[in-house]
Every structure is written in structure tokens, then in C-alpha cells.
Amino acid sequence: MKKVVIASDSFKGSVSSIEIAESAERAVHAVFPECEVVKIPVADGGEGTVESLVYALEGRIVFCRVHDPLMHMIRAGYGILGDHKTAVIEMASASGLPLVPEMKRNPLRATTYGTGELIKDALKNGCRRFLIGLGGSATNDAGTGMLQALGFRFFDNKGKELGVGGEILECIRSFDDSHVLASLKESTFTIACDVNNPFSGENGAAFVYARQKGANDEMICRLDNGMKQFAAVIKKAKGIDVDDIPGAGAAGGLGGAFMAFLPSRLKPGIEMVLDALHFEKRIRGADLVITGEGKLDKQTGMGKTPSGVLLAAHRQNIPVIAIGGSLEDPEALNAYGFLSVLSIQPGVITLEQAMKKEFAMMNITRTLQQYLQGIKYFTT
């Protein structure tokens, strides 16, 4: 083998995508010492996206003070890539569910204000291109908090400016954008979105996701009514029906806010990441691509990281193998087009043992080395 590409998602809670790439590289060089190894840590737009893109594109992590979902000050980070113009933001770093103690979760109060502050900080640092991951939100404020941090103002039927949180949605009758940051007009936003939920209704943000964010039945109805009210205001003022946009309900309606108020486009998460990485160019001429994620099963082939890697590699007729911490339905995965799917576990062990970083990294190297030795035997 002359060129092998390693492009795996992390094994959540165990090994990062970068650590997987390094473990796999050791296996490749143990069997094919002269082989070129191209390490491309990848993610699907959720957790790990900033780390992966910053590593792969020679960027840096920037930290700033922002408000969490309940408007407490926290320190949150985002990435600026090597071009010094592209910011990568995981909204969960400022507005994520894990930031709110379980007993205090309440999407009527929770706000995306901190996400807007991350964008504002990146604008001050010269960024004009934004890659945004929407997963893991604590919010159902339809992105109003993010917009408020960027200069938008929302008013009730008496012209009184409203506060923050999902509870303001049912009161919104108008908005003002005259104080919006001018740099937003020069900016573009690509939003990683892997759901098709509409803004409101029985399949919308509130009914599908608000309960896991702390809402009860009464709150869910209030939130959904609020989403409908805000959608009507948007349609009247901008001529945009956010309920006609698949994915507008993502992250409690944050997807819809981007589409209605900012120059944005929604893309599948893995597609956004692979495009940013210029993935198809970097894998050109490879003999093999190695990908993976923590659990390989039928879902792996349905829009998750390995499936995106597989599709890109197959367009160049490059075979792909996948590794995982656990493996189910290998026949289905082979049917998707993976040449081989491999569990890294050496036998029956406890979950606690399997999740240990050093143990997992050792097993990644061992499993791939055994596999590659077989390839070497039959190709030399």
C-alpha cells in the first residue's frame, strides 16, 4: 500500500478522532512502513467538530466569556481555522443541555443568547464565514436569544421590548433590526443540520424535543403556540414561511432563525465537515480509507460520519473499512458498501474496561494491524 487515509469520528466518551487516527497510523506503519498516512479527524457537526476541523485545518481554539442558557456567565470556546476567516461553533458550548442542572431545565427560560455572543466574538476576530453545529441544545427560543446578542430586538403588542427565553415567543408582534452588527451583512453561515423537523406543529421543535429539555405538557403547548406566533411575524415581515423549511425546528428553532434572519444554508453535518476539509481532494489516490465510530450498526449507514466518508471514497472507487467499539448487523453494513467492519474488542469485557482510553487505543492498533497483515499477505 502506498497511501492510506484515516478519517474516523470519535468513540464518544472514550477516544477522540485525533487519537484514533494516531492509533491507526501506528498499525499502518507497523505493516507498511513506507506507506503515506493521511490523518483527517472528522465529525458529523456535533460534539468534536471544532476539535476535528481546528486540528485538520491548522486552526486555533478561542475562548471568551458568554452567557449560558440561564444567563449565567461561563467560559466557552470556538474554533478559527487556518484561513483566519472561518469560525467553527458548536452551539452546545454556550447553549447546550449539559450546561443546565437537571432540576433547573426549563425551555421557557433557556436562551441561545450565548451562541450569538460566540458569533459576535468571532466577527470581532475577523471571521466572516461560519460553520455552525446545532446539536445538544437546552433551548426552544427559536433562536431569538442568538439574534438579540447580534443586535435584533423583539417587541410585544404595546411596543415593549421583550426579554429572553422561549416564553417571549407568544408575545412577539414585531422586531427591529436597525442595530444589527453591520459585519453580519458580509458573512455567510453554513448550518450542520441532520433533522427535518419543521418550526412548529406536531413534528416541530417543541412537541418533539422540548420535553427532554425540561418542558411539561403545558410548557410544550405554550412553546408551540409561540413558535407559530413568531413564524407568523417572520412571514409578514420577510415573506419567509419558516414552517416550509425542513430543519427549521432544529435546536429549538435555531435552524429557522438562521434561515430567516441571516445569510444561511442548512446542510447535513457530515457534508458540511467534509466540504470544509476538502475531503475528496485529500483522499485522491488512496488505496484504502479507514473510518469508524463508537458503535457500528444500521444507523451508521444513515447519514452518520462513516456513511459520509464511505460515499466520498466510493466516488473515487476507494475501498473503505470501518472500526468501532461495538458492532451490530455487520451484514447490513457490508450491504451499504463497507469492505469490512471490525469490532476492536478482544473478547468479552466490561463496558468500563472497553471505554478506557489507553485500552481502546491499544485495541485499535492491534485490530488494524491484524487486518492489514492479511492484506499484505495476499497482495505481495
Side-chain angles (χ1 to χ4, degrees):
M1 286 201 179
K2 295 181 180 180
K3 180 178 179 179
V4 172
V5 174
I6 304 164
S8 175
D9 203 343
S10 65
F11 292 4
K12 298 294 189 292
S14 178
V15 202
S16 72
S17 55
I18 296 168
E19 290 164 336
I20 291 168
E22 291 170 346
S23 302
E25 181 182 37
R26 287 192 288 272
V28 174
H29 282 155
V31 181
F32 299 102
E34 304 302 318
C35 182
E36 176 190 1
V37 176
V38 179
K39 295 178 288 184
I40 312 176
V42 290
D44 60 5
E47 180 184 351
T49 298
V50 169
E51 180 185 30
S52 296
L53 289 177
V54 163
Y55 176 91
L57 297 174
E58 300 179 342
R60 59 191 173 99
I61 302 292
V62 176
F63 290 94
C64 59
R65 299 281 290 174
V66 301
H67 290 85
D68 75 3
L70 297 182
M71 293 298 284
H72 302 126
M73 294 302 297
I74 60 170
R75 184 171 181 260
Y78 64 93
I80 297 180
L81 302 186
D83 63 1
H84 308 296
K85 297 178 181 179
T86 303
V88 187
I89 296 173
E90 296 173 23
M91 71 86 64
S93 66
S95 311
L97 192 61
L99 297 174
V100 185
E102 189 169 349
M103 295 301 294
K104 294 185 178 181
R105 292 175 182 175
N106 181 348
L108 289 173
R109 300 290 180 85
T111 174
T112 52
Y113 197 90
T115 297
E117 289 176 307
L118 290 176
I119 294 170
K120 187 176 181 179
D121 192 77
L123 288 168
K124 290 179 180 177
N125 280 319
C127 296
R128 295 297 182 267
R129 179 177 178 235
F130 291 82
L131 307 177
I132 312 285
L134 297 189
S137 75
T139 56
N140 200 119
D141 71 345
T144 51
M146 174 199 71
L147 295 170
Q148 287 166 322
L150 297 173
F152 290 86
R153 303 163 69 199
F154 298 95
F155 303 93
D156 65 13
N157 58 358
K158 296 181 180 179
K160 180 182 177 182
E161 186 172 359
L162 295 165
V164 299
E167 63 188 355
I168 76 166
L169 297 176
E170 58 191 352
C171 302
I172 295 175
R173 295 298 181 273
S174 63
F175 64 88
D176 171 58
D177 60 4
S178 62
H179 296 87
V180 170
L181 297 174
S183 50
L184 285 172
K185 296 178 182 179
E186 308 165 0
S187 303
T188 60
F189 295 82
T190 302
I191 314 302
C193 179
D194 291 310
V195 301
N196 292 317
N197 301 86
F199 208 58
S200 65
E202 63 180 11
N203 294 315
F207 276 104
V208 175
Y209 299 110
R211 192 175 302 280
Q212 68 195 40
K213 303 173 186 183
N216 58 29
D217 289 345
E218 181 182 353
M219 292 178 186
I220 289 170
C221 289
R222 278 190 65 188
L223 289 166
D224 188 63
N225 288 335
M227 300 289 278
K228 286 182 168 64
Q229 171 60 34
F230 188 35
V233 171
I234 293 170
K235 187 172 183 178
K236 181 179 179 181
K238 302 177 77 67
I240 298 170
D241 188 345
V242 287
D243 267 324
D244 279 347
I245 302 173
L254 184 57
F258 274 109
M259 295 300 291
F261 291 90
L262 298 171
S264 307
R265 57 176 178 165
L266 301 176
K267 295 182 74 171
I270 184 58
E271 186 177 320
M272 181 193 81
V273 171
L274 294 184
D275 284 351
L277 290 167
H278 307 291
F279 188 76
E280 297 206 19
K281 179 180 179 181
R282 296 176 72 184
I283 67 173
R284 200 167 293 154
D287 300 298
L288 179 69
V289 172
I290 300 169
T291 188
E293 62 178 350
K295 182 180 181 181
L296 299 173
D297 57 22
K298 287 182 179 179
Q299 299 300 314
T300 297
M302 299 178 182
K304 300 181 78 174
T305 297
S307 69
V309 170
L310 177 70
L311 290 172
H314 274 194
R315 283 193 283 270
Q316 299 184 37
N317 297 313
I318 304 169
V320 180
I321 67 170
I323 58 172
S326 65
L327 172 62
E328 294 179 6
D329 300 307
E331 296 84 3
L333 292 167
N334 289 145
Y336 285 132
F338 292 102
L339 177 64
S340 295
V341 287
L342 309 168
S343 168
I344 66 168
Q345 303 308 335
V348 179
I349 56 173
T350 65
L351 178 60
E352 181 182 7
Q353 176 69 9
M355 295 284 285
K356 289 182 178 178
K357 179 182 293 188
E358 295 78 10
F359 186 72
M361 292 174 68
M362 178 184 69
N363 285 327
I364 290 166
T365 302
R366 174 190 53 78
T367 301
L368 287 172
Q369 187 171 337
Q370 290 294 315
Y371 181 85
L372 294 170
Q373 283 171 345
I375 291 179
K376 184 176 184 180
Y377 178 82
F378 286 106
T379 57
T380 58

